[in-house]
């Protein structure tokens, strides 16, 4: 009769680790910034520290963004001391499968998270070091944030690609802080209802790039696929669907993808400097973008969007938890 409880464990294991995080979303796409409790990444460039994270502390990425604490859609970031003394902070972004070079929606989220903590730069202007260069975020009085991204450019125009199960498409390849295939000629419906089919298409397009041996100019994988269509029924110039490297779609219009798009438009003579392009996501959330040329003639995309802080918490990493480091193919038994 009754329930026998042999032992009740109260308290916590000795080696529990606590990670303080701020969550936000930008146009529906989540960002989780680790502000305290991460590993010691020592000094060095942000690219070197990203390599150290990958080689010795990949548990951080996996535990922060993967289920059961996160989901495939999450982008995480870890705040670091910048190597460049001119910067206010450094950040390394990651997702469910690896590390991102840069992330604009994440930087808009980071800007509102720093404001939430009272840690943004003077007058809402923050200089942020990333593994691929310095970007700035400016928080406006209406709460929106403009990110001046890394220099962006088109590397290949009108590439004809055979995509298994979908036929031939015409696409550009461009850098916007990550490598993108931008598909403009296709027969797909770019709508929320068609996400499963769009996902299949983008995965097949990525397979085609790999099969054909097509990479970015630095040999990097073209791991983001972007499909465009007219933005019917909303106040935007275009609607996109973006598949991220880990197989999740971007809920936001993807700021590095929008940067790549702006570079292509500018290089085709369709977007003069200073003209605003409104890019809608598959959800209908919108980024405004424009390009300016810097003193060295490089094209700098400026992307404006809104983000909202929606969580401030402490993640508990308990070594007794079989899914402490998140659910990954290696933790499934
Ligand atoms: O906004 O740049 C972006 C981004 C990259 C991956 C997900 N979002």
């Amino acid at each position: 009769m009754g329930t026998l409880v042999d032992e009740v464990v109260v308290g916590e294991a000795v080696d529990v680790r606590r990670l303080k995080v701020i969550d936000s979303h930008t146009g529906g796409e989540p960002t989780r910034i680790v502000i305290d409790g991460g590993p010691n990444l020592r000094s060095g460039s942000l690219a070197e520290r990203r390599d150290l994270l990958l080689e010795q502390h990949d548990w951080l990425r996996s535990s922060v963004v993967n289920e059961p604490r996160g989901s495939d859609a999450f982008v995480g970031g870890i705040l670091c001391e910048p190597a460049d003394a001119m910067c206010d902070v450094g950040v390394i972004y990651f997702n469910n499968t690896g590390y991102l070079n840069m992330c604009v929606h994440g930087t808009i989220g980071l800007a509102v998270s720093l404001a939430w903590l009272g840690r943004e730069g003077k007058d809402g202007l923050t200089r942020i070091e990333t593994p691929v260069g310095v970007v700035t975020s400016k928080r406006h009085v209406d709460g929106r944030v403009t990110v001046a991204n890394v220099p962006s450019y088109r590397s290949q125009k009108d590439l004809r690609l055979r995509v298994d199960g979908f036929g031939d498409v015409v696409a550009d390849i461009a850098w916007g802080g990550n490598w993108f295939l931008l598909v403009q000629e296709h027969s797909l419906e770019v709508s929320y209802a068609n996400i499963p089919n769009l996902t299949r298409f983008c995965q097949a397009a990525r397979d085609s790039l790999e099969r054909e041996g097509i990479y970015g100019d630095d040999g990097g994988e073209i791991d983001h696929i972007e499909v465009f269509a007219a933005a019917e029924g909303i106040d935007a110039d275009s609607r996109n669907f973006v598949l991220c490297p880990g197989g999740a779609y971007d809920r936001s219009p993807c700021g590095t993808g929008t940067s790549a798009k702006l570079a292509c438009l500018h290089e085709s003579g369709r977007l003069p400097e200073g003209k605003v392009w409104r890019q809608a996501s598959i959800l209908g959330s919108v980024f405004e973008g424009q390009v300016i040329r810097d003193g060295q003639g490089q094209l700098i995309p400026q992307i404006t969007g809104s983000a909202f802080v929606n969580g401030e918490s402490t993640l508990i990493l308990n070594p007794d938890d079989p899914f402490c480091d998140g659910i990954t193919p290696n933790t499934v038994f």
Side-chain angles (χ1 to χ4, degrees):
M1 291 286 289
T3 309
L4 278 180
V5 179
D6 288 339
E7 194 182 341
V8 178
V9 180
V10 182
E12 61 186 39
V14 180
D15 296 332
V16 161
R17 186 188 270 270
R18 292 182 151 77
L19 295 175
K20 285 204 173 139
V21 300
I22 306 286
D23 287 354
S24 61
H25 80 88
T26 308
E29 179 77 352
T31 305
R32 174 168 285 166
I33 302 290
V34 179
I35 58 168
D36 195 28
N40 177 2
L41 296 179
R42 306 191 209 120
S43 53
S45 72
L46 273 268
E48 284 165 348
R49 280 184 267 172
R50 177 189 53 193
D51 294 347
L52 186 67
L53 258 182
L54 167 67
E55 285 154 19
Q56 293 182 22
H57 307 288
D58 199 44
W59 56 266
L60 177 98
R61 178 192 64 73
S62 178
S63 59
V64 167
V65 294
N66 283 331
E67 293 179 23
R69 299 184 191 85
S71 81
D72 284 357
F74 267 71
V75 166
I78 178 164
L79 271 193
C80 327
E81 278 295 313
D84 177 344
M86 299 295 284
C87 289
D88 299 290
V89 291
V91 66
I92 299 167
Y93 291 115
F94 46 82
N95 68 7
N96 55 340
T97 46
Y99 295 84
L100 292 164
N101 297 299
M102 174 42 201
C103 180
V104 171
H105 98 262
T107 305
I108 296 173
L110 172 61
V112 301
S113 300
L114 291 173
W116 177 265
L117 296 167
R119 284 175 59 180
E120 64 185 345
K122 194 164 175 289
D123 298 328
L125 182 67
T126 309
R127 280 176 66 84
I128 302 160
E129 189 173 2
T130 78
V132 287
V134 174
V135 303
T136 61
S137 65
K138 168 75 189 162
R139 211 166 50 84
H140 305 286
V141 282
D142 64 2
R144 298 198 311 157
V145 174
T146 297
V147 173
N149 194 11
V150 294
S152 300
Y153 71 100
R154 176 163 63 193
S155 125
Q156 270 199 64
K157 182 175 173 342
D158 291 342
L159 170 80
R160 187 166 287 277
L161 193 68
R162 173 139 307 162
V163 181
D164 281 351
F166 293 88
D168 284 4
V169 296
V170 177
D172 289 352
I173 293 172
W175 169 258
N178 294 301
W179 282 108
F180 287 84
L181 179 79
L182 300 97
V183 185
Q184 62 271 356
E185 283 180 35
H186 55 81
S187 54
L188 294 143
E189 181 188 301
V190 180
S191 70
Y192 185 75
N194 202 31
I195 285 176
N197 198 37
L198 287 161
T199 302
R200 275 190 290 277
F201 166 79
C202 291
Q203 278 162 343
R206 204 152 48 203
D207 291 347
S208 302
L209 289 170
E210 201 181 321
R211 193 183 52 232
E212 305 284 325
I214 301 172
Y215 296 95
D217 293 345
D218 58 0
E221 191 186 343
I222 300 164
D223 54 5
H224 289 73
I225 313 291
E226 207 171 358
V227 184
F228 295 90
E232 277 152 21
I234 46 172
D235 179 18
D237 296 295
S238 153
R239 189 194 286 271
N240 70 13
F241 172 84
V242 183
L243 194 73
C244 298
Y249 71 92
D250 196 332
R251 278 70 174 158
S252 85
C254 192
T256 47
T258 300
S259 300
K261 173 72 176 176
L262 298 181
C264 294
L265 288 166
H266 181 74
E267 287 168 27
S268 295
R270 291 176 53 203
L271 188 75
E273 270 184 74
K275 184 163 191 278
V276 171
W277 176 266
R278 288 175 58 82
Q279 183 63 59
S281 73
I282 199 71
L283 303 187
S285 50
V286 173
F287 284 164
E288 281 186 1
Q290 52 178 291
V291 289
I292 54 163
R293 282 214 181 263
D294 70 6
Q296 290 127 49
Q298 305 179 106
L299 213 56
I300 308 294
Q302 320 257 328
I303 308 291
T304 302
S306 301
F308 297 88
V309 169
N310 57 5
E312 182 176 31
S313 58
T314 303
L315 307 182
I316 307 288
L317 275 60
N318 179 345
D320 291 342
D321 173 355
F323 296 114
C324 175
D325 290 354
I327 300 173
T328 69
N330 297 335
T331 55
V332 175
F333 44 86

